[in-house]
Every structure is written in structure tokens, then in C-alpha cells.
Amino acid sequence: MRVMAFDYGTKRIGIAVTDPMQIIATGLDTIHPKDIIDYLKRYLQTETVERFVVGEPKQMDNTPSQSAIHVKGFVNLLKKNFPDIPVEMLDERFTSKMASAAIAQSGMGKKARQNKELVDTISATILLQSWMQNFR
């Protein structure tokens, strides 16, 4: 069964998913928040997801960031629509910076580094890899 991770933003949600054996995390898509529930319902018709991992935005002093209220609303939406799938929160500090650095190191051009959808998908992938290394 797969694990799915989300890098939530008010404009875009980056999504990553594991393979069924939970060995590899792969970027899946970037979706507008208003479309996420329909997207997940379609996805779950063909794939089994064992749990959702949602990036928890925190500031350097470990307090919730300004976007935490939006993430909490998203988590509640997931729990309401998919009550059988547990939701875990995971500190997402630095995932966007790590994603931008990974894109830069890959040799992609400046346009790719500025592609916010790509950054969000890679951020979700980094979040999922972190979960796999530390919590599986």
C-alpha cells in the first residue's frame, strides 16, 4: 500500500507518493487546493493509500507559521472525506529550500528553479522521503 505526502499551499498542493512496497518516493502532481478532493477520489479508485503525510509549517522557534491554520483546515478536509486513511503531520521546514537546491544541482536551468509547481512537487517528495527514513 502507498503513502501519499502533501506540501500544502493556498495556491498549489505538491503531491508525492510511494511505490506499493514503500521503497521509493516519487513526485506525483501539483493540484490547486479547490481540486484536491476530487483528484484524490479519482486516484483512490485505482490505488490503495495507507496513510497521508502532510507537511506541518513551523517557524525556526518551533511555533506554527502563519500558514498553519490553512494546513489544519486541509487536514480536517482529508479526515472528513477519507476517514479510513490516517493523517500524520511532519515538520516541513526547509523542504522548499532543499527542493530548489536539488533542482539547481540537477543541472536544470533557471526557469526550472523558478517553476513553483516543480518546487512544490519536489518538496512533497522530500517530505515523504523524510517520513520513510524516520517513521516507517
Side-chain angles (χ1 to χ4, degrees), residues 42-134:
R42 282 191 308 275
Y43 185 85
L44 292 170
Q45 287 175 352
T46 58
E47 300 292 340
T48 303
V49 174
E50 149 183 327
R51 82 182 52 247
F52 294 136
V53 177
V54 178
E56 184 174 20
K58 293 184 177 184
Q59 298 191 53
M60 291 307 295
D61 65 359
N62 216 26
T63 60
S65 75
Q66 290 179 332
S67 59
I69 188 83
H70 300 290
V71 173
K72 186 175 182 181
F74 173 62
V75 167
N76 289 336
L77 193 63
L78 287 175
K79 289 179 178 179
K80 177 183 169 196
N81 284 276
F82 310 103
D84 296 333
I85 301 176
V87 180
E88 285 186 39
M89 302 292 290
L90 186 62
D91 187 345
E92 70 172 19
R93 282 180 286 189
F94 308 116
T95 56
S96 292
K97 285 186 172 122
M98 291 168 64
S100 293
I103 293 168
Q105 290 174 354
S106 73
M108 289 184 199
K110 186 176 180 181
K111 274 199 171 192
R113 289 193 301 271
Q114 293 174 339
N115 179 341
K116 296 194 183 305
E117 290 184 2
L118 180 61
V119 171
D120 291 341
T121 302
I122 293 174
S123 293
T125 306
I126 291 169
L127 184 73
L128 187 52
Q129 287 173 331
S130 176
W131 179 86
M132 290 169 62
Q133 290 170 351
N134 296 303

